[in-house]
Amino acid sequence: MFENNLKVLTAKNPELAQKLKELNITEISKKIEVFEADSKDIIISYNGELLHDQKDPVREAMFTWNKNVRSELKAKDIQIVFGLGLGYLFKRAYINSTSRIYLYEPFIEVLRFILEYVDFSKEFSDDRVFITNNLDELFEKLANEYLQGDKVEFLFLNSYAKLATDELMLLTAKALEICEGRSVDQNTIFNLCKTWTKNSITNIKSYEKAMPAGYLADKLTEKPALILASGPSLAENFELIKENREKFVVIAVGQAIKFLQEQNFIPDFMAFADAEKMFTLVDGFNDFKADQEYLKQNNMLVSSRADNHLFTKEFKSKTLYYTRTDEIGRWIKDSSKDELGLYESGGTVAIMCYAFAKVLGCKKIIFTGLDLAFINNKIYAHGTELKVNEKGEIDLGYTTPITKKLVIVKDKEGNNIPSRDDYASFIRHFEDIFSKKTENETIINTSLKGAYIKGMEYINLEEAIKEVELNNIDINSIIKTVSEDNNQRWNKALINIKESFSSQKQELIDIENSSKIIYDELKQICTMFGNKELQNNLLQAKIENIKLEMSETRDKVIKNVFLSNYLQGELLDYTKKYKMAILPRLEDIKHNMFLEKDLFETFIKACEELIGLIETV
């Protein structure tokens, strides 16, 4: 039995397997006793302490799982099981959901004993199961794989909590710290929400010279796609790319623009998604200025909420990309009364390129330059050297001080290679997306030295290209024809969108007016708290007079697509700080009224800004 378990464990965690192999099972057996529970199930003790419930260990495991896991777990979520014992709780976690499971056994002697008599080879060989006896190893795993929005559940039996209290406390505290650290990105997202909202509105002005990606659906089914990411391996493959360029629909990430212009290479689409600072890319990246004549030769694929600076530039054509997760994008689609297309979103523009290739109908999609790691100490294809400071931060070489943290990921051989913290997240995004790919999809990564992404085939570019036949479809002609054929359709959609913006403007004006009235009332109420002679019943009456209107206005803000997106951070902050109590104290009431006053002042300012933007559309 132990050999079966060890074989699986050696492939998954060789260091742990070696430790277990070196332990003396005879000596360990002296510390562990085997009993029969009242339910007739087997239980064990370690150093005289039972590890499971003496009455019914199976019931104990079910109760523990159901008590801790209150909502459905998805595949990307994580269950951290503290203590294997005889596996009752671990198996419950394994059976009850499809989530990832991190199994930590604080007592390596218990683990060695159990693996001698219980076959866990099936469960341990599952890709979603990770097992360790090393907390640092678990923390590293969590830091590399956890993404904001993932649920993390902690599962442990009372016996383990009693026997390894300090380790359990360290595990939970550090794990939560890692998750919260990842959620620092939430602040960035909340800040970007304002920029995304403003961009989504402002970019409408440029829609007349664009068309939605949905109009190009299945227009290039006869050609495979070649996606040019900006990693170091792009440069290594470039001669082959140029020689075989006409075989593919070539879609390049905007970050590769410097390298591509130097090579005098025009892709079929140049993709952009960043919400801000795009001028550093197209007007001044590393003292490099993109030639405006070069931009004019490119068809731009651009996120509907990308930096407006891009929309002011002249391209051969502009294709708008809307994502499923963008509420404003969905609102624009619905307002258009047309099928504009809502597609995959992700933290990297390479995901957008992949999803767009699928929209076009490409069945084979080949990536080059998708390293998501630093190959030969290079950051990008244009040769920027990797520089790391004493804090473990990477200097990306921008004219503005943007840094990322250095992390370690695995290549396809399982070796450790240097990468960025956001790249580790991108790997997870890709793997989630590729887990849903269809049988007739072929996804190839030609970056053989880069990060391993599950769901991709790894073939060098020369081999990948050999299998592709030349197809002389004129992609520019197709784009032009689709644009011309749908010109009337798009103009009608734009009229509908702009009419909807007019109704939104009036709704924002109404919310602004209500907020001003409430704000004035709240200012008076907050002033009243300073009057010690004031009777509480007068204060309560004043609050009661505006309570309903406050509630109705907040609801209108939350339901308004622009305000709810623009004020995500403020609304969450308000929810966190609001004090709830059955019998609130005067101090609690005062705290909440000042909180309400600040919130409604924020509503007024947000309405003013958004109304001003809508008036420019």
Side-chain angles (χ1 to χ4, degrees), residues 383-396:
T384 304
E385 291 283 339
L386 174 63
K387 297 177 183 177
V388 183
N389 65 22
E390 65 279 0
K391 297 179 182 178
E393 295 173 335
I394 303 159
D395 178 3
L396 298 179

Side-chain angles (χ1 to χ4, degrees), residues 223-226 241 244-250 268 364 366 461 464-465 468 471 475:
K223 275 202 171 190
L226 180 62
I241 292 169
N244 294 273
R245 190 249 178 279
E246 297 305 322
K247 292 182 177 181
F248 300 96
V249 180
V250 181
D268 295 307
K364 176 178 280 191
I366 301 172
L461 186 61
I465 285 174
V468 180
N471 188 318
I475 295 173

